[in-house]
């Protein structure tokens, strides 16, 4: 691994450690630098700000979770997302909302889910872009699944569902226009 990769890994571990203890609103760059032991210039060579670092952490968590799978089926992806969120619950709770009114991790997770739905649909339809009604269905599905995940993270006792049940619920609640295509050959 290159030094750049090593610095990114060190910064990632520092951010995960910090977000397991306090919210993104209360994490300053100086906290990240102290926790990681890297210089300010090294931080800025790798990331624009703490939010980009936080989003990088989520990406790496998902990559690590999916790395053993050759091809991820439509129904396996929700289970992988649930496993990552469950294993890192406090990280996500502390990263989802910023006191400044921005929700960069929430937006990033939404985009991640949206892109997955879109890719699955287009792959099975053998097209390069969604039609308007398909795009609306993908927006609905991604937004709905993200909202379920938020409630599950914040108040799991209210949903009274196991992790696999949450993941299966995501598939069950998929709009019909997506379900008939995405669940083909699964």
């Amino acid at each position: 691994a290159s030094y750049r990769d090593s610095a990114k890994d060190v910064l990632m571990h520092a951010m995960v450690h910090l977000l397991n203890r306090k919210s993104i609103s209360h994490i300053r760059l100086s906290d990240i630098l102290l926790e990681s032991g890297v210089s300010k210039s090294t931080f800025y060579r790798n990331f624009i700000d703490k939010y980009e670092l936080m989003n990088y952490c989520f990406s790496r968590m998902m990559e690590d979770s999916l790395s053993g799978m050759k091809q991820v089926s439509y129904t396996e992806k929700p289970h992988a997302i649930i496993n990552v969120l469950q294993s890192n619950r406090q990280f996500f709770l502390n990263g989802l909302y910023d006191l400044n009114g921005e929700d960069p991790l929430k937006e990033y997770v939404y985009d991640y889910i949206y892109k997955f739905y879109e890719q699955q649909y287009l792959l099975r339809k053998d097209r390069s872009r969604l039609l308007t009604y398909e795009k609306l269905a993908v927006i609905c599905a991604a937004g709905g699944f993200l909202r379920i995940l938020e409630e599950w993270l914040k108040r799991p006792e209210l949903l009274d569902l196991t992790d696999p049940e949450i993941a299966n619920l995501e598939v069950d609640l998929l709009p019909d226009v997506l379900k008939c295509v995405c669940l083909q050959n699964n």
Side-chain angles (χ1 to χ4, degrees):
S2 68
Y3 172 73
R4 183 178 170 100
D5 291 337
S6 298
K8 277 188 158 186
D9 285 347
V10 168
L11 287 163
M12 180 187 76
H13 292 295
M15 180 57 103
V16 169
H17 188 253
L18 288 167
L19 274 171
N20 278 316
R21 293 193 327 237
K22 55 186 173 178
S23 78
I24 189 67
S25 298
H26 296 104
I27 295 174
R28 299 181 316 268
L29 178 59
S30 58
D31 298 327
I32 298 168
L33 299 179
L34 183 63
E35 184 75 30
S36 67
V38 303
S39 67
K40 193 175 194 177
S41 61
T42 298
F43 178 87
Y44 284 117
R45 270 195 303 275
N46 289 281
F47 299 101
I48 294 169
D49 57 20
K50 66 182 180 179
Y51 302 108
E52 185 181 29
L53 171 56
M54 179 177 59
N55 292 339
Y56 174 77
C57 293
F58 173 75
S59 291
R60 284 287 304 275
M61 289 172 183
M62 286 306 303
E63 285 173 24
D64 292 349
S65 174
L66 299 171
S67 65
M69 299 180 197
K70 288 186 179 179
Q71 186 176 359
V72 182
S73 77
Y74 178 80
T75 53
E76 289 172 321
K77 188 75 165 235
H79 288 275
I81 291 170
I82 293 293
N83 288 336
V84 167
L85 294 177
Q86 178 65 357
S87 301
N88 301 281
R89 181 181 290 270
Q90 199 57 53
F91 169 90
F92 286 101
L93 285 172
N94 287 336
L96 277 176
Y97 308 103
D98 186 12
L99 294 177
N100 299 326
E102 297 185 33
D103 301 323
L105 183 59
K106 184 177 174 181
E107 290 172 28
Y108 192 82
V109 173
Y110 169 82
D111 288 342
Y112 184 88
I113 295 167
Y114 178 94
K115 286 175 187 161
F116 173 71
Y117 286 142
E118 179 183 48
Q119 288 168 352
Q120 290 292 309
Y121 192 83
L122 292 174
L123 177 73
R124 287 171 170 80
K125 284 287 196 174
D126 195 26
R127 289 196 318 223
S128 61
R129 65 186 276 268
L130 297 171
L131 300 175
T132 301
Y133 77 94
E134 295 164 339
K135 186 172 186 165
L136 292 173
V138 170
I139 289 169
C140 179
F145 186 42
L146 177 61
R147 189 68 183 117
I148 289 169
L149 293 175
E150 283 182 86
E151 285 301 311
W152 172 71
L153 284 171
K154 288 191 286 188
R155 296 181 289 274
E157 69 284 352
L158 293 181
L159 291 183
D160 193 31
L161 296 169
T162 65
D163 299 358
E165 287 172 330
I166 290 283
N168 291 335
L169 181 65
E170 181 277 334
V171 173
D172 294 341
L173 295 176
L174 198 63
D176 288 341
V177 68
L178 297 178
K179 191 181 293 188
C180 65
V181 174
C182 291
L183 295 179
Q184 289 174 1
N185 303 321
N186 258 332

